[in-house]
Structure formats: C-alpha cells, structure tokens
Amino acid sequence: MCDAVVQEKAISVQNEFGLHARPAAQIAQEAQKFSSVIHIGMQGREIDAKSILDILSLAAPRGTDLSLKAEGCDAYEAVQRIARLFEERFGEGR
Amino acid sequence: MAKHVLTGIPVSSGVAIGKAFFLNKNRLSQAPRQTIDEGLVRQEQQRLGQAFTLASQELERIRGNVPKELQEHGALIDSYLMILRDKKLGDSAGEYIKRLRINAEWALEKAVADVEQMFNAIDDEYIRARMQDVRLVTQRVMDQFAGQENGAMPVGHRVILMAHDLTAADTIELEVDKIMAFATAMGGKTSHAGILARSLQIPAIVGVEELEQSITDNSIVILDGFNGRILIQPTEDELNKYTGLQYRFEDYQRSLTRVCHLPGETRDGYRVDVFANIELFEEVTSVLDNGGEGIGLYRTEYNYMNRSTFPTEDELTEIYTDLATIVAPNKVVIRTLDLGADKLSSFGALEEANPAMGLRAVRFCMAHKDIFRTQLRAILRAGTQGHVSIMFPMISGLQELKEIKAFYFQIKEELRKEGTAYNPDIPLGIMIEVPAAVLVADSLAREVDFFSIGTNDLIQYCLGIDRTNKHVDYLYQPLHPAIVTSIKSVIDSAHRAGIEVSVCGEMAADPFCIPILMGMQVDSISLTPQAIPGIKRIIRQVPMEDCKVLLKEVLESESVAGNNVLVKEMIFRRFPDELMFYTSLLDGD
C-alpha cells in the first residue's frame, strides 16, 4: 500500500490547434499509465483524463486555461508528465 | 453508349479503365436487437469484450503495416485505438448489458448514442466531426460480432475501387498500388477519399448516386475523374476514346513536372513572376514543390480564428519571421487582417445586415487600433529577415489610405524610439478590389509601392452579385467587359506611376483568363500553389504577341459570351489539353 496524495496544477493549452484528436490521444495514453484518478477541469466542468472522448468533448482551443488534478499513489508524477505534454505543445512545434 | 452511366463529384483528375471491386459491400446491415436472460449477462459481456479485443488487434495489425510515407494516417490509427479502448464505449456498453439485459450489439449502440449526445453539444465543428471516428471504430467492433472479415483485398490485379464510403482507416488497409481509381457513394468535395486520391495521384469520384445498386464486382468500368462520370460496360468506341485521353493526360502531367521549376517567361521573353497564395505556414512546402517564386499573398486571418484570445505580438512576429526566413531569398507579401467582426468568435458577433459591405478588413483594423498595432509591429519586426512586403486589403479611397499610412508611420516611430529592431523600408501595397479604388487608382498609385488586384471581390462588388448565392451566381462573369476594362485600367494606372501590379484572385489560376492578364502586361500573378504548374505551362508556351491580339479583340467585344468564345478559341488552338483537363471559371460551377 502507499499513501494516496492529491496533486493539482494549473495548465493552459498552448499548441496551435488546441485539444484535437492527436493531443487528446496523447493525454489519455499518458494518463492511462498511472493508477491515480486523473481529472481535467475546465470552467467548472471535470472530465476523466483517461478518456479520449471526454478530452475531445472539452473542445479546448489554444489559450484555454485548465486545471489538472490527480488523486492516488502516483498522483505527483502523473500531473508532472501530463503537464509536460501541454508545455511541449504535444510536439507540434508551434 | 455504355450500358449505364453514373455521375458524381470529381475530386481527383484522370481516367481509369478496369474492373470494379467493392469494399465491404455488406456493411450496411442493421445490428440485431434482443433482450437476454439474466443468466446470459456474463456471457454477453464476454462476447462484447472479445469483439473489442479482436477489433483492437486488427487495428494494431493495420497500424504496424502503415508505410512510412503515410505516417499521418498512422497517427490517426493511434487515435482510433484510443477511442476503441475508451471506457465510454466498452465499459459503458458492458454496463448497459447488465442493467438493461440487452444484447451486446444493442448495448454498444446505446453507448455510442451517449457519446454522440455529448459531442452534439460541442460548439466546434472539427471536434463534432470526430464523431465519425467513433462511429467508424464501433463499426469495426460490430463487424466482429457479425464475424465479418474486414481484412485486405483478396485481389491479384489492379482494380477500380468502389465503396460506400472510404475513411482513413479503410484506406490504410488498401494495397494502394493495386488501386487505379476510387468511387464512393458518400462524400463531398472535401472528403477523405479525395484527399487520398490526390496524394496518390489517381482519379476519384465521390457522392455517386446508385453506385452500390448499379455496379457489381468485376464489371468493366471507365472512371472519368475530369467530369465525374462512371461508364459501366463501355462500348469499343468509348474504350478507345478514353484510352487516348488517358495517354494524353499522362503526357500532360509529365510536361507540367518539367516546366514548373522554370521561370514564368513567354517564348518572346516577357516575364510574369508566379507567386503563391497561402494561408498556413505548412503550405510553404507545396509552394516550393510546385515552383512558386515566393508568396504573393499570405492571408493572416488563420491565426485569429477559432481561439478565445488574440495572438500576441511575439507570437505573430515568430510566425512571420519563420515564414520570411524559409521563403528567402524570395519575397513574402503579408496581407493585414482581412476579417469582419462576424468571423472573430472572441469578439462577439456584431449585428450587420450585410457583412461583406460592413466593418471588415482595414475598416475593422482602424476601428480597433490595438489589434492593428499588434499585427503591424509584428510585421515590421519580422521584416528584418528575408523580403517582407505589407499589403492592405479593401482600400476604397485616398483619404482612407492616407490615414492608414499615417498610423503605420506612427507605429514605425514607436519602434524606433523604443530601440526595437525593425525594417524601416518594407514595401507597402494595397489590394484593389473595391470598384471605387479602380476609378481613383491613379491617385492611390502615387501613395504605394505596388498594387495587387483581388479579382474575386472585385467581380462581386463590381457586378453586385454574391457568388455563393445560387440565384445569381450565373452572373459571376470574369470576362464581363466591365471587369476586363477595370483590370486593364488598374494595370495602366500602376504602370503610369511606375509601380508593379499583381493579380491574386482566382482569375490568375484560370488557364483561360491568364492570356488576357498577360496581354495587359501584368507584372506578376499569385495563385493557389497546386495551380502553378498548369499556369506556368501556358505562360511559357504562349507568345506575348498573341496575348495582345486576344486582349485587343476582347476589349473591342461588347459581350461576355463573345469574350468567352474568343478566349476558348485561342486556348483550343494553342492548348487543347487545358480545354480538356480544366473546368474554367468561365463555365460556372
């Protein structure tokens, strides 16, 4: 057993085309590697970061502010890794 | 005559003659709906799980076979796999089986309907369109229930592929070298099949009515990708005719590849610079591939649309600098924002009865100087690299132009005082697209370094017709004497003032209009990158003398119909291939 922790971080969508299919796939893929429950919040709504369909349903364009929240043993690492995807603009270059 | 002729929307040119082959013809069957006994719930859930596993394995196999040149598609397959594994589908369907005691097919349909409801609420067309991906993925699971093979084509020879629809995943499975052409029952001008066909350079037709009912596997067909026709069981004569056309088109394409990297110069030494119109940075590759000699029109609107905030000065500077650098030593003409308030979602819609004549382009920019300032500063800063020019759209008079220039000089002064690096000598130009600007072109020409004639808007404003309005689009006539005279007069004004003039509307990309523009001695043209090779071929083969004679005849004629005939006669004499392979603006849609 481990100690469940709650980890939160404010992030923003920086890639040119926003959270379209490919970034959404990357986020879900990364989130699924962790045992923590991971949520993405946008304007009062919370969705499951492990579901590509949920992420797509945010329809978040560039410039959107989001909150990332994980709860579980590996919450800290999960938040770090997913936040990094956003910072690296999902490898889109711009 | 062939036994039967079907028509559809041509999306990729060329001719193919061969045997028809249907992909997944039986796919349309409705999934069975049943209720089940409580004792069968576990078993049904297992059946569901198995179908998902098999569909997933199949997609993984496809993913592994994606050739390198189609890696874009490979990434798509990755997102399909993610969708397939999403608990919104599988887990949710499993729940439905248990809760409602229904069969796996029905439960999956319900899970998909839930997702669809979620997607329908989204105010973003692109994301909404992803629902297609969800449907496509679930269809694969449904196929597993039915025990249907969804595998590769069991064919040993090349075929003309027929399908209800072709999605990205379908096309991956195809052995592309075995396909001569596509036809689909569904789809429109922008559908995936068309994009794929053009990238593979094979003919394709979409939206073919009665395709599935009329054609059976192995029937001999001719697919005419120029006119969107499929001839079923053609006659000997038709076969001969189309075989001839096929050879001719292949020759024609080879000749395009040969000329596209040569300069746009007539046989008698008259030079027309051929630039490209682009909207996205990524299009630069296509400009270079097609022999574009620079960017004659960079539309900057894209960076402002579909987002909640305006781009920052640094962001724009970076994009413009990248563009200027990659295109150097050739030039980039950056057109300032040509949008109306109606196109800026972040701005809140303005109530305008007639946006085309409303607060847009430079009018909008001068009403919102903070937005304009950001863009002008970014262009001025980016101008330190490569060869950047600025172009203002929709100028309608001298006073307006002077005010814009005064604002521009004020911004330059700001940059100078701050000590920010910028290019103080960027050439300034304007679009001539409002009829008033045509009439005062002489005085406008003294204020700027170049003109660019935007024929699309000029035709609409001059003839007073909205081209997208089906009731009046027949009046969209590029060779209306008023249009020809207007363009000629603008070019003459520019040359009297000693400045250069370009044409950047669709007329510049029309093989039938180009000889007239050349006769007017236009200095350059700017057009969509894909059209450059075909236009260069004409420029390089037609002598200037002929263009001048044609122009004289056109100017003397008083009728549009007469002009169209004159032009077509010349094209027929010199360029019979173009007459065959192009749909001209002159023909209407």
Side-chain angles (χ1 to χ4, degrees):
Chain A
M1 275 304 285
C2 70
D3 293 330
V5 289
V6 179
Q7 189 71 29
E8 281 188 69
K9 194 174 163 84
I11 45 176
S12 73
V13 181
Q14 293 168 21
N15 63 309
E16 185 162 9
F17 301 108
L19 293 190
H20 59 91
R22 244 170 287 165
Q26 287 181 42
I27 296 167
Q29 214 156 21
E30 195 64 37
Q32 284 170 17
K33 291 179 189 161
F34 298 93
S35 65
S36 294
V37 176
I38 309 169
H39 283 116
I40 297 175
M42 180 176 123
Q43 291 153 9
R45 215 181 123 209
E46 279 214 331
I47 59 97
D48 181 357
K50 294 181 183 178
S51 162
I52 184 175
L53 297 174
D54 263 9
I55 301 168
L56 281 173
S57 77
L58 291 176
R62 170 141 95 178
T64 312
D65 291 319
L66 304 171
S67 64
L68 190 59
K69 184 175 161 188
E71 202 173 341
C73 296
D74 48 10
Y76 178 78
E77 211 198 336
V79 165
Q80 294 302 314
R81 294 284 288 273
I82 295 171
R84 192 182 305 161
L85 288 176
F86 280 85
E87 281 152 20
E88 288 168 355
R89 302 178 184 193
F90 306 98
E92 280 176 20
R94 279 191 294 133
Chain B
M1 271 290 285
K3 200 171 170 199
H4 202 45
V5 178
L6 304 180
T7 56
I9 306 161
V11 288
S12 182
S13 331
V15 171
I17 304 170
K19 282 185 178 171
F21 174 82
F22 262 96
L23 190 73
N24 305 326
K25 197 169 183 178
N26 308 318
R27 253 199 190 187
L28 299 165
S29 58
Q30 179 81 31
R33 292 181 170 190
Q34 291 157 13
T35 50
I36 53 170
D37 290 335
E38 192 168 0
L40 289 175
V41 164
R42 271 295 276 286
Q43 195 187 322
E44 199 62 15
Q45 283 176 329
Q46 274 170 3
R47 201 165 74 88
L48 178 79
Q50 201 182 8
F52 268 88
T53 310
L54 288 172
S56 174
Q57 284 169 353
E58 195 182 75
L59 273 177
E60 271 166 15
R61 180 180 56 76
I62 296 169
R63 178 68 179 95
N65 291 338
V66 174
K68 268 217 163 55
E69 60 272 23
L70 291 171
Q71 276 311 316
E72 280 282 299
H73 295 287
L76 256 168
I77 306 292
D78 285 338
S79 11
Y80 293 157
L81 274 164
M82 293 301 298
I83 293 173
L84 189 66
R85 290 169 188 154
D86 200 298
K87 47 187 174 197
K88 280 243 145 49
L89 290 175
D91 290 8
S92 163
E95 287 288 313
Y96 271 126
I97 294 176
K98 192 175 162 196
R99 195 149 54 84
L100 304 177
R101 285 194 223 149
I102 52 178
N103 67 336
E105 286 90 336
W106 194 353
L108 182 56
E109 275 179 8
K110 289 188 76 67
V112 173
D114 290 343
V115 173
E116 182 150 22
Q117 202 174 11
M118 176 170 94
F119 273 60
N120 278 341
I122 298 170
D123 186 27
D124 179 321
E125 204 181 322
Y126 166 81
I127 302 278
R128 267 205 313 274
R130 300 280 68 71
M131 192 58 215
Q132 287 172 7
D133 299 345
V134 176
R135 274 194 222 101
L136 161 87
V137 166
T138 38
Q139 183 60 52
R140 292 185 159 269
V141 180
M142 293 287 187
D143 289 348
Q144 296 299 338
F145 288 137
Q148 248 184 46
E149 258 309 302
N150 202 333
M153 300 186 299
V155 283
H157 55 279
R158 297 185 76 211
V159 295
I160 298 181
L161 192 77
M162 309 279 159
H164 179 69
D165 200 359
L166 275 180
T167 58
D170 289 328
T171 53
I172 288 303
E173 284 173 279
L174 306 174
E175 296 168 62
V176 287
D177 53 337
K178 292 229 178 96
I179 300 168
M180 291 188 269
F182 295 158
T184 64
M186 304 297 289
K189 274 201 161 120
T190 57
S191 65
H192 185 83
I195 297 168
L196 188 86
R198 286 192 296 273
S199 74
L200 295 172
Q201 300 192 332
I202 58 177
I205 307 176
V206 300
V208 183
E209 278 179 36
E210 294 186 14
L211 181 75
E212 287 139 305
Q213 296 89 317
S214 314
I215 299 180
T216 49
D217 278 350
N218 292 322
S219 35
I220 301 281
V221 298
I222 295 176
L223 187 143
D224 172 357
F226 301 111
N227 304 302
R229 283 151 48 94
I230 299 175
L231 285 67
I232 305 167
Q233 295 187 22
T235 62
E236 190 83 3
D237 280 354
E238 283 164 335
L239 283 169
N240 286 335
K241 179 186 153 207
Y242 276 98
T243 313
L245 188 62
Q246 209 174 8
Y247 286 135
R248 225 169 110 183
F249 186 61
E250 280 163 13
D251 276 348
Y252 173 71
Q253 282 182 312
R254 274 194 290 275
S255 79
L256 288 190
T257 323
R258 280 196 301 272
V259 302
C260 84
H261 290 283
L262 299 171
E265 193 174 301
T266 63
R267 294 199 305 213
D268 41 1
Y270 174 78
R271 180 76 201 255
V272 188
D273 293 328
V274 183
F275 300 114
N277 298 342
I278 65 165
E279 188 164 8
L280 301 176
F281 182 84
E282 290 73 13
E283 289 174 272
V284 170
T285 334
S286 149
V287 175
L288 303 175
D289 286 351
N290 286 297
E293 297 161 17
I295 312 291
L297 169 61
Y298 173 48
R299 303 186 171 101
T300 56
E301 293 72 38
Y302 187 78
N303 296 309
Y304 291 79
M305 289 162 78
N306 299 319
R307 52 184 289 168
S308 50
T309 54
F310 283 102
T312 63
E313 182 183 322
D314 285 345
E315 196 181 325
L316 291 179
T317 307
E318 190 188 325
I319 297 169
Y320 300 161
T321 307
D322 285 352
L323 188 61
T325 315
I326 197 168
V327 177
N330 292 321
K331 70 169 184 179
V332 177
V333 179
I334 302 180
R335 182 179 69 184
T336 62
L337 199 56
D338 189 18
L339 270 186
D342 57 317
K343 292 275 167 52
L344 290 168
S345 53
S346 49
F347 219 79
L350 204 63
E351 283 291 322
E352 286 188 305
N354 198 345
M357 300 193 180
L359 188 65
R360 47 170 295 217
V362 286
R363 305 165 181 180
F364 174 84
C365 287
M366 289 300 276
H368 298 281
K369 291 215 174 81
D370 47 335
I371 298 171
F372 202 18
R373 168 179 284 112
T374 304
Q375 187 177 33
L376 290 176
R377 285 179 60 105
I379 301 173
L380 280 158
R381 286 172 58 191
T384 56
Q385 304 298 315
H387 298 279
V388 171
S389 303
I390 298 187
M391 180 157 76
F392 300 117
M394 222 194 164
I395 297 291
S396 61
L398 187 60
Q399 181 64 26
E400 180 183 46
L401 177 58
K402 283 187 167 169
E403 282 167 21
I404 292 163
K405 278 179 69 184
F407 183 64
Y408 173 73
F409 287 128
Q410 182 193 323
I411 302 225
K412 283 213 298 202
E413 190 58 17
E414 281 172 23
L415 285 167
R416 193 184 63 80
K417 281 194 180 141
E418 291 166 20
T420 308
Y422 73 100
N423 178 358
D425 301 312
I426 291 183
L428 278 191
I430 56 173
M431 297 271 297
I432 303 287
E433 49 191 337
V434 177
V438 174
L439 297 172
V440 297
D442 278 320
S443 50
L444 297 175
R446 285 192 287 271
E447 296 290 324
V448 292
D449 303 308
F450 63 94
F451 279 169
S452 186
I453 307 174
T455 53
N456 299 5
D457 275 348
L458 183 62
I459 295 169
Q460 299 207 75
Y461 290 133
C462 192
L463 301 181
I465 56 124
D466 172 2
R467 193 182 158 190
T468 60
N469 181 333
K470 282 276 159 252
H471 306 291
V472 292
D473 62 358
Y474 71 99
L475 286 172
Y476 187 87
Q477 296 161 329
L479 295 191
H480 189 296
I483 303 297
V484 178
T485 314
S486 293
I487 297 174
K488 167 90 165 51
S489 131
V490 172
I491 293 176
D492 290 346
S493 294
H495 289 164
R496 270 196 297 276
I499 65 170
E500 294 208 337
V501 56
S502 173
V503 169
C504 69
E506 275 175 47
M507 269 178 93
D510 192 318
F512 299 83
C513 296
I514 203 72
I516 296 181
L517 298 175
M518 289 167 68
M520 295 176 185
Q521 293 190 288
V522 69
D523 299 292
S524 63
I525 52 172
S526 192
L527 55 154
T528 176
Q530 290 74 19
I532 290 175
I535 293 297
K536 271 201 180 170
R537 181 175 183 268
I538 295 196
I539 296 173
R540 292 187 58 82
Q541 287 188 22
V542 61
M544 189 60 180
E545 275 318 304
D546 285 23
C547 296
K548 284 189 174 157
V549 170
L550 176 69
L551 174 66
K552 187 164 172 287
E553 286 171 353
V554 165
L555 286 173
E556 282 164 4
S557 146
E558 288 175 348
S559 86
V560 179
N563 285 348
N564 290 352
V565 169
L566 282 171
V567 171
K568 291 213 159 154
E569 272 173 9
M570 169 176 187
I571 295 290
F572 183 71
R573 255 193 342 262
R574 294 206 168 264
F575 304 101
D577 287 342
E578 270 74 4
L579 203 62
M580 192 80 79
F581 304 136
Y582 280 88
T583 331
S584 166
L585 286 173
L586 311 182
D587 296 327
D589 282 339

